[in-house]
Amino acid sequence: MNLKQLSEHLQLSQTTVSRALNGYPEVNEETRKRVQKAAAELNYAPNPRAKGLATGRSMAIGHVIPISIKHEMVNPVFGDFIAGAGETYAKAGFDLVMSVVSDQDEEKVYREIARKRSVDGMIVHGPKMDDPRIPLLQELGIPFVVHGRASLAASPYAWVDVNNQRAFDGATSHLVKLGHTRIALLNGPESMDFAFRRRNGYIAALGRDGIEPDPRMMFSGEMTEQFGFETAQCLMSGDAAPTGYVVSSMIVAIGVRRALEARRLRMGRDVSIVTYDDDLSYLRNGDTDPIFTATRSSVRAAGVLSGQMLLDMIAKQPADPPTLLLETELVIGGSSGPAPTS
Amino acid sequence: MNLKQLSEHLQLSQTTVSRALNGYPEVNEETRKRVQKAAAELNYAPNPRAKGLATGRSMAIGHVIPISIKHEMVNPVFGDFIAGAGETYAKAGFDLVMSVVSDQDEEKVYREIARKRSVDGMIVHGPKMDDPRIPLLQELGIPFVVHGRASLAASPYAWVDVNNQRAFDGATSHLVKLGHTRIALLNGPESMDFAFRRRNGYIAALGRDGIEPDPRMMFSGEMTEQFGFETAQCLMSGDAAPTGYVVSSMIVAIGVRRALEARRLRMGRDVSIVTYDDDLSYLRNGDTDPIFTATRSSVRAAGVLSGQMLLDMIAKQPADPPTLLLETELVIGGSSGPAPTS
DNA sequence: GACGTCATCCAAAGCGCTTTGAAAGCGATT
DNA sequence: AATCGCTTTCAAAGCGCTTTGGATGACGTC
């Protein structure tokens, strides 16, 4: 069933039927009703490709998710982020098209998407400090929202980010106040912008209490359980083992916990952990009493907000790119306690 | 830059240029070279909507991922599965379009997609035993591959599945051989087909050794860390606590482990765990020595294979739907050991 | 020299929609 | 009765591609 058939069946022109269905004012309300009824009965739906060709829009948002070639790893937060964004798109009648790409030729894919004009806008995931995708998309003239920030970007761009610096300042501060002085940082990969900001927060909090940041206490790597386990194990086998850990994700924290348990150390008594918590649906930090002391910020909510921001930009083309900084909430759980006295 | 402009620039007809670029034989090899060169230089890429309109194909595969309305939960395996499938699509020039949908109105979305003919094929995720989407897609005439199976389906359909029954038979058997007799099952949601098969495997293995399956030892629920923790805690506080656990996912197993540790029980000595392992990239079961004894099968590989199967179906339209049963590998790790003698 | 063959190219129709520019109908105004 | 303004409808062009059904020569064959 296409427009032509429908209009013939209704004894109307395609113009009128199209206008009736798309809510244009210049059509009699009675005819509109009649058209809508027939469309529903005959199960008519416009062909999106024809529509897109005529309007020049694709009604689709692009997400390209990079796979770290080294670890063959897809970031576990994507699921939740995309769930949030997708929900927003669906309400507005937009599709979500994903490209999975090894992180090396990510830029090529962006270029390709731009050439084909196959989406109306894009979300940029996992920005590096000096991310080439930002000038690229600006040059290509595709509306985009960055999930995160790129500190070294030359010109303004739209972003939704968590206040990572403040979060890690708060997390570290929490441990300092509990008397910890040897506090390790298990950060994300150094190339990531958020890792940079988190480290700044960590260093700022230490500095405020006159603690000299120790490079041997600062680690960064892909945020896997393995990374948490191995790093903690290595730290605990050295002298001057840390009594506190500030960790970049729940999954890494679980790895640290495993290392503690291997040595029969108790979390929250012998060793304290504060972690960042993306509030993933399948890995909630406890319902009533939190497992970990954590700085929480829902990545799913970030997805909803980023999606909404992008759709707004597409609709209204604002002169200045909007930005949104989300604060985290410090949740006190069982994984942190006073520094052991010894 | 569009076809018309390109053809004018080349002093050729659109027909010839189109044919040259699409590899049709009726064009001089020299002209083809010339066309390809110009296309590359002028950065020409065909408009996918125009192409789709002309060919009647969308060059896109649809994935609809349901969000359990109750737990607002997106299955953590989607990320890896989609990474696998997406990789396959990209190689074949297909897009991956996702719809995120609350599990109630999932069927509506399938109908909508079919009406709009916005994809050339679909992957069905998380099939229930009697899944309505299978007859629906058959009726709608859309090629599809089910990731999993639907035991009660009336007619044949294409699927890629893991041998869940054998996996859980093997897992349970492993514990039985180690002398365990009180073995709990922490299964996925009962409505899921895989959960049904896993339970069958569990029961079969017990039965082979004359152990009567005990309903009080069998649990099912959303596969979260919380579920593992709470169920294990509940079991351990009763009398006749199990000495072995067969668990449906690493994340649930991590929850069980947390419950053990809360009681200072040692995994693999006091209590044994065997888990199913989807081999998720961010949650590897150890690199050299496995953390958990586990039945492993890569969900990412399943994604690659499902995607490939679907693309083949679209290209060749086989008379009989293909199927593929993947076996798991039983990996012996530190989480299982002889039943404690007491 | 007429004719079939083959390789190469082209004009134009068609995919299903939106949108422009015009027309038809009708009551109100002059 | 002619004109105007308003609402409602329409025919046709256009979006950028593929594909059908020829054309046009060049070449060899009888």
Side-chain angles (χ1 to χ4, degrees):
Chain A
M1 169 61 56
N2 59 24
L3 227 211
K4 192 175 174 195
Q5 290 163 6
L6 178 61
S7 65
E8 277 165 3
H9 174 262
L10 282 163
Q11 306 267 55
L12 283 170
S13 75
Q14 296 190 34
T15 312
T16 306
V17 176
S18 170
R19 294 203 148 133
L21 293 174
N22 289 314
Y24 282 72
E26 56 267 85
V27 44
N28 191 313
E29 273 311 314
E30 208 158 321
T31 345
R32 190 193 304 278
K33 289 269 189 313
R34 199 161 65 91
V35 171
Q36 283 168 338
K37 185 151 165 283
E41 277 168 3
L42 297 173
N43 196 33
Y44 167 79
N47 180 315
R49 286 178 295 286
K51 193 165 186 159
L53 182 56
T55 58
R57 306 183 27 161
S58 61
M59 298 302 279
I61 303 297
H63 288 242
V64 2
I65 84 170
I67 304 272
S68 121
I69 191 76
K70 207 162 125 215
H71 297 83
E72 283 283 303
M73 150 136 176
V74 27
N75 190 326
V77 308
F78 277 128
D80 270 57
F81 184 89
I82 278 178
E87 184 191 307
T88 305
Y89 302 153
K91 278 182 195 144
F94 276 72
D95 281 340
L96 154 30
V97 356
M98 279 192 32
S99 311
V100 183
V101 140
S102 103
D103 53 4
Q104 308 159 301
D105 36 35
E106 214 188 343
E107 193 171 330
K108 195 161 53 178
V109 170
Y110 276 87
R111 285 219 129 82
E112 187 65 15
I113 290 172
R115 285 208 312 170
K116 302 201 295 186
R117 314 223 140 262
S118 47
V119 299
D120 294 333
M122 304 199 68
I123 299 277
V124 173
H125 291 282
K128 312 256 197 294
M129 288 189 62
D130 185 14
D131 202 295
R133 295 171 291 174
I134 291 173
L136 175 60
L137 285 170
Q138 284 172 330
E139 173 201 330
L140 296 169
I142 298 182
F144 67 97
V145 169
V146 180
H147 179 213
R149 272 175 287 179
S151 307
L152 301 176
S155 51
Y157 57 90
W159 51 262
V160 171
D161 196 8
V162 169
N163 196 336
N164 280 295
Q165 163 141 10
R166 184 176 295 171
F168 271 54
D169 190 324
T172 310
S173 217
H174 174 72
L175 289 178
V176 169
K177 281 185 202 134
L178 286 168
H180 296 268
T181 53
R182 293 195 307 284
I183 301 173
L185 170 68
L186 270 62
N187 208 347
E190 268 183 340
S191 57
M192 291 295 151
D193 197 81
F194 73 83
F196 171 70
R197 293 175 188 273
R198 288 178 180 184
R199 183 150 64 111
N200 284 349
Y202 164 82
I203 290 175
L206 291 183
R208 214 177 302 118
D209 270 75
I211 303 175
E212 186 74 20
D214 181 349
R216 288 165 305 177
M217 287 283 187
M218 285 153 60
F219 300 85
S220 66
E222 293 273 17
M223 302 189 292
T224 61
E225 203 265 359
Q226 195 86 8
F227 170 61
F229 176 74
E230 283 169 1
T231 310
Q233 216 165 35
C234 173
L235 279 168
M236 290 188 309
S237 66
D239 49 336
T243 61
Y245 287 81
V246 178
V247 178
S248 245
S249 91
M250 286 270 289
I251 288 180
V252 176
I254 286 172
V256 174
R257 186 176 73 194
R258 178 157 67 96
L260 300 192
E261 279 152 2
R263 301 197 170 229
R264 315 233 74 186
L265 294 172
R266 305 236 64 173
M267 186 172 79
R269 290 187 42 189
D270 306 318
V271 172
S272 288
I273 301 177
V274 183
T275 182
Y276 188 91
D277 175 16
D278 286 298
D279 203 16
L280 301 180
S281 51
Y282 54 89
L283 200 61
R284 288 269 140 78
N285 186 19
D287 270 342
T288 43
D289 37 47
I291 306 164
F292 292 101
T293 297
T295 58
R296 180 170 62 198
S297 178
S298 161
V299 71
R300 170 129 182 218
V304 172
L305 294 167
S306 307
Q308 194 55 59
M309 180 182 281
L310 182 54
L311 293 181
D312 287 350
M313 283 173 68
I314 291 170
K316 298 199 189 34
Q317 328 240 80
D320 298 315
T323 63
L324 183 57
L325 187 58
L326 305 169
E327 294 299 334
T328 59
E329 178 192 6
L330 182 65
V331 177
I332 306 299
S335 71
S336 65
T341 53
S342 69
Chain B
M1 170 61 56
N2 60 24
L3 227 210
K4 193 174 173 194
Q5 290 163 6
L6 179 60
S7 64
E8 277 163 4
H9 174 262
L10 282 162
Q11 307 266 56
L12 284 170
S13 75
Q14 296 191 34
T15 312
T16 305
V17 176
S18 169
R19 293 204 150 133
L21 293 174
N22 290 314
Y24 282 73
E26 55 267 87
V27 42
N28 191 314
E29 272 312 313
E30 208 159 322
T31 353
R32 191 194 302 279
K33 288 269 189 312
R34 201 162 63 91
V35 171
Q36 283 168 338
K37 185 150 166 284
E41 276 168 5
L42 298 172
N43 196 33
Y44 167 79
N47 179 316
R49 287 179 294 286
K51 192 165 188 160
L53 181 57
T55 58
R57 306 183 29 160
S58 61
M59 297 302 279
I61 303 296
H63 287 243
V64 2
I65 84 170
I67 304 271
S68 121
I69 190 76
K70 208 162 127 216
H71 299 82
E72 283 282 303
M73 151 134 175
V74 26
N75 191 326
V77 307
F78 277 129
D80 269 56
F81 184 90
I82 278 178
E87 183 191 308
T88 306
Y89 302 153
K91 279 183 196 146
F94 276 71
D95 281 339
L96 154 30
V97 356
M98 279 192 32
S99 311
V100 183
V101 140
S102 103
D103 53 4
Q104 309 160 302
D105 36 34
E106 214 187 343
E107 194 172 330
K108 196 163 51 178
V109 170
Y110 277 87
R111 286 219 130 82
E112 188 65 15
I113 289 172
R115 285 207 313 170
K116 303 201 294 184
R117 312 224 139 263
S118 45
V119 298
D120 294 332
M122 306 199 67
I123 300 278
V124 173
H125 290 283
K128 312 256 197 295
M129 289 188 61
D130 185 14
D131 202 295
R133 293 170 293 173
I134 292 173
L136 174 60
L137 285 171
Q138 284 172 331
E139 174 201 329
L140 295 169
I142 298 181
F144 66 96
V145 169
V146 181
H147 178 213
R149 273 176 286 180
S151 307
L152 302 176
S155 50
Y157 57 91
W159 52 262
V160 172
D161 197 8
V162 168
N163 196 337
N164 280 295
Q165 164 142 9
R166 185 175 294 171
F168 271 55
D169 190 324
T172 310
S173 216
H174 175 71
L175 289 178
V176 168
K177 281 185 202 132
L178 287 168
H180 296 269
T181 53
R182 293 194 309 282
I183 302 173
L185 171 67
L186 270 62
N187 208 346
E190 268 184 340
S191 56
M192 291 296 152
D193 196 81
F194 74 82
F196 171 71
R197 292 175 189 274
R198 288 177 180 185
R199 183 151 63 112
N200 284 349
Y202 164 82
I203 290 175
L206 290 184
R208 214 178 302 118
D209 270 75
I211 303 176
E212 187 72 21
D214 182 348
R216 288 166 305 175
M217 287 282 187
M218 287 151 61
F219 301 83
S220 66
E222 293 273 16
M223 301 189 293
T224 61
E225 202 264 1
Q226 195 85 10
F227 169 63
F229 176 73
E230 283 168 1
T231 310
Q233 214 163 38
C234 173
L235 278 167
M236 289 188 309
S237 66
D239 48 337
T243 61
Y245 287 81
V246 179
V247 178
S248 246
S249 91
M250 286 270 288
I251 289 181
V252 176
I254 287 172
V256 174
R257 187 177 71 194
R258 179 158 65 97
L260 300 191
E261 279 151 3
R263 302 199 168 228
R264 315 235 74 185
L265 295 172
R266 306 236 64 173
M267 188 172 79
R269 289 187 43 189
D270 306 317
V271 171
S272 288
I273 300 178
V274 183
T275 182
Y276 187 92
D277 174 16
D278 286 297
D279 203 16
L280 301 180
S281 51
Y282 54 90
L283 200 61
R284 287 270 140 76
N285 186 21
D287 271 343
T288 43
D289 38 48
I291 306 164
F292 291 101
T293 297
T295 58
R296 180 170 62 196
S297 178
S298 160
V299 70
R300 169 129 182 218
V304 173
L305 294 167
S306 306
Q308 195 53 60
M309 179 182 282
L310 182 54
L311 293 181
D312 288 348
M313 285 173 67
I314 291 171
K316 301 201 190 29
Q317 329 239 78
D320 297 316
T323 64
L324 183 58
L325 188 58
L326 306 169
E327 294 298 335
T328 59
E329 178 192 6
L330 183 64
V331 176
I332 307 299
S335 71
S336 65
T341 53
S342 70

